[in-house]
Amino acid sequence: MSDIFSGLEKLGFNNIKGTDIFADEKKKRVKMITNKTKKISAKDLLYDRKVLCPICGERFITRTVRAGKAKLISIDTDLRPKYDVITPYAYDVVLCNCCGYAALNKFFKKITATQADWIKSQISNSYRGRKYPDEYTYEIAIERYKLALLNAVVKKVKASEKAYICLKIAWLYRCYSEDLQKKSSSNTLLDEVKENEMIFIEKAYEGFVNTYQNEDFPVCGMQEMTVIYLLGDLARKLGKLDESTRWVSEVIVSRTANERLKDKARNVKNLVKEQKRILVAKNNEN
């Protein structure tokens, strides 16, 4: 078979025999395949963001997850999202290491002069800063969230904000628990972490009940039916099975709830029925 460029010799091209006309494309394809198969680490998804503290005026750096880069794997019944490489909400607390002011990113700048004075007197006067690593462990993320919760109490924010922080702390304890199970950690530590998760689920439930009774919706980015559904699942986790049924039934018969949320509510209702069946069986055995 003749070379594809045969016949061009008479035009002065004597050294082009065997030229691969798609060489560049092949190199690009190899590069693309390499990039796709390269394992992405949590470090690849993090970057530094500059923030101005509304309390002390200090400019500081906070670690942030690149938007849309973490891959969602699944969503738990209490709406906890699970991701593949990194847990984005573990980095959702913004903390000024100078004065100790901490809040969820969406609430960090929302502070009045009176609240700022409360933070200075009740948080800043006691706060001792610490240096955080570039990547947070679940213990570190929980510590930062608890400081944000303390700040929220001092600021006297609405119940919804405090409940939302408690819910996310519960999620982080669950993440921590799952991580410990993978590492075959001691049962004592695992039991302690699971117990802490339930403590914050109970606080979240208490806070969202207060929210439902006293606040206007939406709250923390959630509509009323979403909060009612959430109350149903939190009640189920706490063993308040009759309360759980009442909450999710309200979602199921609602004219405003979408079908996806109604399906979630039906699923929780079925889980409650199963938990009741198990309880009855245990009682019969005794």
Side-chain angles (χ1 to χ4, degrees):
M1 182 183 292
S2 62
D3 188 77
I4 60 173
F5 290 114
S6 62
L8 295 183
E9 294 84 359
K10 58 187 176 183
L11 297 179
F13 300 102
N14 298 313
N15 300 312
I16 58 174
K17 187 175 182 180
T19 298
D20 187 346
I21 63 174
F22 296 115
D24 289 343
E25 286 74 13
K26 289 177 181 177
K27 288 178 182 178
K28 289 179 182 178
R29 178 168 176 76
V30 169
K31 187 176 181 180
M32 287 174 62
I33 292 173
T34 301
N35 288 338
K36 286 182 179 180
T37 56
K38 180 183 177 183
K39 189 174 182 180
I40 297 175
S41 66
K43 187 177 180 181
D44 297 325
L45 304 181
L46 290 166
Y47 71 97
D48 290 335
R49 181 167 61 91
K50 291 183 179 179
V51 179
L52 175 65
C53 179
I55 303 296
C56 66
E58 182 77 9
R59 289 190 179 276
F60 62 95
I61 298 295
T62 188
R63 295 294 275 168
T64 306
V65 179
R66 298 184 187 280
K69 295 299 182 180
K71 183 181 178 182
L72 180 65
I73 297 175
S74 62
I75 299 177
D76 289 351
T77 52
D78 64 356
L79 306 182
R80 178 193 70 145
K82 294 179 68 174
Y83 296 88
D84 57 348
V85 176
I86 195 170
T87 304
Y89 49 87
Y91 295 83
D92 202 24
V93 170
V94 181
L95 164 61
C96 176
N97 218 20
C98 180
C99 68
Y101 174 53
L104 296 184
N105 184 50
K106 66 171 68 180
F107 301 120
F108 189 75
K109 295 180 180 179
K110 297 178 181 179
I111 187 166
T112 66
T114 301
Q115 288 174 324
D117 289 338
W118 293 338
I119 295 297
K120 289 174 184 176
S121 63
Q122 299 179 54
I123 298 291
S124 302
N125 287 340
S126 301
Y127 179 69
R128 295 193 302 272
R130 60 168 288 191
K131 183 176 176 60
Y132 288 102
D134 288 341
E135 294 179 38
Y136 301 161
T137 61
Y138 289 120
E139 299 100 309
I140 287 174
I142 290 167
E143 174 186 284
R144 291 170 67 92
Y145 263 87
K146 286 184 177 181
L147 183 57
L149 180 60
L150 179 60
N151 271 267
V153 172
V154 170
K155 283 167 63 179
K156 299 181 181 179
V157 302
K158 291 181 178 180
S160 55
E161 184 176 337
K162 290 180 285 189
Y164 188 58
I165 295 171
C166 288
L167 177 64
K168 297 184 86 171
I169 293 175
W171 290 352
L172 286 169
Y173 269 118
R174 195 177 313 155
C175 291
Y176 187 18
S177 174
E178 291 168 352
D179 191 51
L180 288 173
Q181 290 178 62
K182 289 178 184 176
K183 297 175 181 177
S184 300
S185 299
S186 70
N187 290 333
T188 302
L189 178 57
L190 189 58
D191 290 343
E192 181 184 335
V193 171
K194 288 182 176 180
E195 182 180 349
N196 282 325
E197 178 192 343
M198 294 309 299
I199 288 171
F200 281 95
I201 283 177
E202 186 170 13
K203 290 300 179 184
Y205 181 73
E206 179 184 346
F208 281 126
V209 168
N210 189 292
T211 298
Y212 174 74
Q213 294 171 342
N214 301 297
E215 294 184 36
D216 295 326
F217 290 88
V219 296
C220 302
M222 294 183 288
Q223 297 294 337
E224 183 177 13
M225 280 298 136
T226 302
V227 171
I228 292 173
Y229 162 78
L230 188 55
L231 282 167
D233 193 56
L234 296 179
R236 179 187 67 82
K237 288 177 178 294
L238 292 169
K240 303 175 186 290
L241 301 185
D242 290 336
E243 289 182 34
S244 176
T245 300
R246 286 197 296 271
W247 288 118
V248 294
S249 294
E250 189 171 340
V251 176
I252 293 169
V253 300
S254 169
R255 293 183 178 180
T256 59
N258 61 48
E259 282 305 314
R260 181 179 296 180
L261 190 62
K262 288 186 177 186
D263 285 342
K264 287 180 176 293
R266 292 185 188 101
N267 178 53
V268 170
K269 192 171 184 178
N270 288 333
L271 291 173
V272 168
K273 288 179 180 178
E274 179 61 18
Q275 284 179 237
K276 285 184 175 181
R277 187 193 65 78
I278 292 172
L279 285 173
V280 169
K282 285 184 177 180
N283 289 334
N284 290 338
E285 287 178 2
N286 296 331

